[in-house]
Amino acid sequence: MEVEDGARWDFLDWVGHDTSSSIFHLLDDPADLARAAAVSHSWRRFVIDNGFCKTLCQRICPEVATFTRAVVVTRSPARGSESRARDADHAVYSYLGGALASAAKPSVDCILRCIGASSTDNFPEETIDNTLEPSDRVRHRASYWSSGGHDDPDAPESLTYRLNSDLCVVDEFRVQPFKAYFQPGDPIYSAKAVRIRLGHSKLAPGAESFVTDGNENLGAIADENYMWMYTSPEFPMLQENVLQTFKLPRPVLCIGGVVKIELLGRVQKQATDQKYYICHAQVIGRSLSPEFMVDISHPADYSILKYLPGASNVRVEDILNGDPKDSTEWHSLVTRYRQMRHMAMVNMLLGPVHFMDEDDDMGGVTDDDVYM
């Protein structure tokens, strides 16, 4: 704004700090906040010094408040100063806000692999791995997960999965009960209700082995091995053989890339035992990698948000050919990238294992599977 003597007045000075802050706090779109920061140098400093981008990210996803520090990862070691730290915070949370609010990246199934199930009736035929199959029949054989039997209709079960990124925005999850087409009356085994927990593992990297034995990784899925940052409301489940969608009240930032689907109660009882079956599960959302990563420290459980500008364009040779002069954050990125790449490759090579006899004319159903 220009006055009569030619001097220029800044709107922020004119209305004062408190009123200006109140106005900026009304902005609920990261793009609007970015445009405001681009008006002038004084507006940019005002946005940075007051941490408006981080505050907005916390409003979109309250889980952002758990980040104790934010850093921009570059190959060259950064020179630290209070001003540079505030600038880095602004850069990280400005881009994070855009990623959280962006609709450009479509929501997809984010499950990378299974960690384990609370129980399994017949391993490996009824393993949790079967829940990743979109069909309830694979190679002419029934494909489903079955819990162990229980006399208590309120006994819960759980399925724990690793997502495809340490940082995922989760919008909803989907579960399809299994219809036992090989049993009289085609009973459908659904839960009374479902909910999910999102968080991170406290186990050492690599301790979450693939599901390869009969206990379905019971040691790895114990609750004391995880920090659950979010627990959804309970959603009632229909006793129908359809993929049922459960939309979360708001998008949730999963920090750590672990999800547990809890199956609360049972509604279908067999004559000799009570079983619960699931043939398919999905967790729908968007990965924030590779531009964003997180380092989580144990046992303090503080997390550092890392922004990697241009990570999508990093070449393989940049990852494989390290330099001792590279920054500590860059070395950490390289290590984590290799771990994730190895996990994805092993998961692709192994995939769900299916068992079928050569003379299986009954879709793989044995006498032990049929309860009258």
Side-chain angles (χ1 to χ4, degrees):
M1 182 174 66
E2 188 172 333
V3 295
E4 293 182 358
D5 59 1
R8 300 187 65 84
W9 283 66
D10 194 309
F11 173 80
L12 302 180
D13 295 330
W14 183 55
V15 300
H17 180 277
D18 292 343
T19 302
S20 297
S21 295
S22 298
I23 295 172
F24 273 71
H25 277 300
L26 294 175
L27 299 177
D28 57 4
D29 188 328
D32 291 337
L33 196 54
R35 294 187 188 98
V39 168
S40 66
H41 177 74
S42 64
W43 281 47
R44 176 178 172 80
R45 288 311 325 165
F46 186 73
V47 170
I48 292 175
D49 293 343
N50 287 278
F52 290 127
C53 287
K54 182 176 183 179
T55 301
L56 180 53
C57 286
Q58 292 177 8
R59 293 212 306 268
I60 298 173
C61 289
E63 296 76 29
V64 170
T66 63
F67 294 129
T68 55
R69 190 158 64 93
V71 297
V72 178
V73 177
T74 59
R75 296 198 70 161
S76 303
R79 297 178 180 178
S81 71
E82 184 176 351
S83 176
R84 286 179 180 270
R86 287 198 298 267
D87 288 350
D89 267 15
H90 170 73
V92 173
Y93 289 110
S94 176
Y95 283 97
L96 178 62
L100 294 177
S102 175
K105 220 174 185 181
S107 293
V108 297
D109 185 4
C110 292
I111 294 179
L112 173 63
R113 65 175 178 86
C114 303
I115 295 178
S118 55
S119 72
T120 297
D121 192 28
N122 296 303
F123 185 88
E125 290 84 358
E126 298 170 342
T127 175
I128 181 180
D129 280 339
N130 292 338
T131 65
L132 302 186
E133 289 288 352
S135 173
D136 59 2
R137 302 190 194 192
V138 176
R139 299 173 188 170
H140 308 292
R141 178 183 176 86
S143 174
Y144 59 91
W145 165 78
S146 172
S147 73
H150 209 290
D151 294 330
D152 182 3
D154 294 324
E157 297 286 350
S158 65
L159 305 169
T160 305
Y161 302 93
R162 166 66 66 178
L163 301 183
N164 58 13
S165 169
D166 284 344
L167 288 172
C168 286
V169 180
V170 177
D171 303 307
E172 62 189 47
F173 65 103
R174 302 170 184 172
V175 181
Q176 181 170 347
F178 179 66
K179 180 178 181 179
Y181 56 85
F182 48 81
Q183 293 185 351
D186 295 342
I188 298 173
Y189 294 89
S190 65
K192 294 178 180 178
V194 293
R195 70 182 174 202
I196 63 169
R197 298 182 187 270
L198 303 173
H200 64 265
S201 172
K202 296 180 181 180
L203 298 171
E208 295 172 4
S209 60
F210 288 84
V211 178
T212 55
D213 54 33
N215 70 8
E216 296 268 46
N217 271 358
L218 278 180
I221 67 170
D223 259 345
E224 59 264 26
N225 294 328
Y226 296 89
M227 177 64 70
W228 302 116
M229 310 298 294
Y230 173 82
T231 301
S232 76
E234 294 183 14
F235 299 92
M237 175 175 271
L238 301 176
Q239 193 176 7
E240 297 180 5
N241 179 228
V242 295
L243 191 61
Q244 301 178 35
T245 297
F246 307 99
K247 191 169 182 61
L248 301 182
R250 61 170 178 82
V252 179
L253 180 61
C254 179
I255 302 174
V258 178
V259 59
K260 173 183 280 191
I261 298 179
E262 295 184 306
L263 311 164
L264 309 174
R266 311 152 191 244
V267 298
Q268 180 67 46
K269 188 174 180 62
Q270 296 180 123
T272 59
D273 203 349
Q274 180 164 331
K275 305 289 183 182
Y276 179 74
Y277 299 84
I278 289 292
C279 71
H280 193 42
Q282 296 179 342
V283 175
I284 306 301
R286 294 174 286 114
S287 168
L288 298 186
S289 290
E291 285 81 8
F292 292 95
M293 295 179 65
V294 61
D295 278 352
I296 302 174
S297 175
H298 302 296
D301 284 321
Y302 63 83
S303 55
I304 300 174
L305 176 63
K306 295 188 173 182
Y307 170 55
L308 296 77
S312 297
N313 300 320
V314 173
R315 299 172 299 174
V316 175
E317 51 265 34
D318 292 329
I319 296 295
L320 299 179
N321 301 323
D323 188 320
K325 296 180 181 180
D326 291 340
S327 68
T328 303
E329 290 81 6
W330 180 263
H331 284 296
S332 176
L333 160 66
V334 170
T335 300
R336 182 61 184 145
Y337 177 87
R338 286 172 174 166
Q339 290 173 348
M340 293 176 68
R341 191 162 178 257
H342 173 74
M343 184 185 300
M345 289 179 64
V346 172
N347 186 67
M348 179 183 67
L349 291 173
L350 292 181
V353 179
H354 303 286
F355 298 82
M356 181 174 64
D357 296 332
E358 293 292 337
D359 57 349
D360 190 358
D361 296 327
M362 294 291 293
V365 181
T366 66
D367 291 339
D368 291 339
D369 291 320
V370 182
Y371 297 86
M372 305 302 292

